[in-house]
Amino acid sequence: MFHPNKISIIGSLVGLAAVLVWRIREGRTAVSLKKIVIPPLGMATGFSMFIVPAFRIPWTWGLAAFLIGAVLLAYPLLKTSRLVQQGDAIMMQRSTAFFSVILVLAAVRILARGYFDTLLTVEQSGALFFVLAFGMIVRWRLNMLREYRKLTAGGGTIAVSRS
């Protein structure tokens, strides 16, 4: 029988593989307003986990996790991706380091989660890392949205990392 921590690590690795495949496929198609806004909205439904008492964490922990994700961990994503206009289409252009950043962030998450799983329940640890990931994606997508609007207003190449 699997230990909950092993299941958590396996789930994280499966999630990492899914994210990598999704990012590769997403990079081949034009960026649209829907493609920028829908992922964080879809992810926001995950906050429903807090209905279950086992997943609840103190507000201060949630705020700290969100800020760490938005301020620290989103930074490498912002620095390794940009939007470019190619004809009538706006495309995501990633640096060669983008996927390395994704892998390093996943490794940090797995190592940190291993530590936090010793202090918190598996559910609380999962909730904390969900909020952290949400902070990351919200900041990244808000920057993408701002740059998308600049490009659609009139042109050229604009780095997503400008804040």
Side-chain angles (χ1 to χ4, degrees):
M1 182 173 241
F2 284 106
H3 188 273
N5 289 341
K6 289 180 182 178
I7 293 172
S8 173
I9 290 172
I10 291 168
S12 294
L13 293 173
V14 169
L16 170 63
V19 166
L20 290 175
V21 168
W22 180 37
R23 294 283 174 233
I24 290 168
R25 291 181 73 201
E26 186 182 55
R28 295 180 183 153
T29 60
V31 174
S32 68
L33 191 58
K34 277 185 178 179
K35 287 183 179 181
I36 293 170
V37 174
I38 288 176
L41 290 178
M43 189 176 175
T45 63
F47 282 102
S48 64
M49 81 173 87
F50 294 108
I51 293 169
V52 178
F55 287 93
R56 294 181 186 157
I57 54 175
W59 284 100
T60 53
W61 295 9
L63 180 61
F66 183 86
L67 291 174
I68 289 168
V71 175
L72 296 177
L73 299 179
Y75 185 76
L77 294 173
L78 297 171
K79 284 297 188 186
T80 57
S81 59
R82 64 187 181 139
L83 297 179
V84 294
Q85 190 149 10
Q86 294 178 354
D88 291 336
I90 295 175
M91 304 293 288
M92 172 68 76
Q93 190 175 61
R94 295 176 179 90
S95 76
T96 54
F98 182 81
F99 288 105
S100 298
V101 165
I102 295 289
L103 293 173
V104 168
L105 288 172
V108 167
R109 180 182 182 269
I110 289 170
L111 292 172
R113 187 157 182 187
Y115 171 72
F116 283 107
D117 280 349
T118 64
L119 303 173
L120 307 169
T121 67
V122 173
E123 295 86 2
Q124 288 175 321
S125 180
L128 204 56
F129 281 93
F130 169 80
V131 174
L132 180 121
F134 189 74
M136 252 177 24
I137 195 171
V138 164
R139 179 167 179 218
W140 185 37
R141 294 297 174 140
L142 283 173
N143 275 293
M144 284 177 65
L145 179 61
R146 191 183 83 241
E147 301 304 335
Y148 179 84
R149 287 189 172 161
K150 285 181 184 177
L151 281 172
T152 56
T157 300
I158 298 181
V160 173
S161 60
R162 290 190 212 161
S163 296

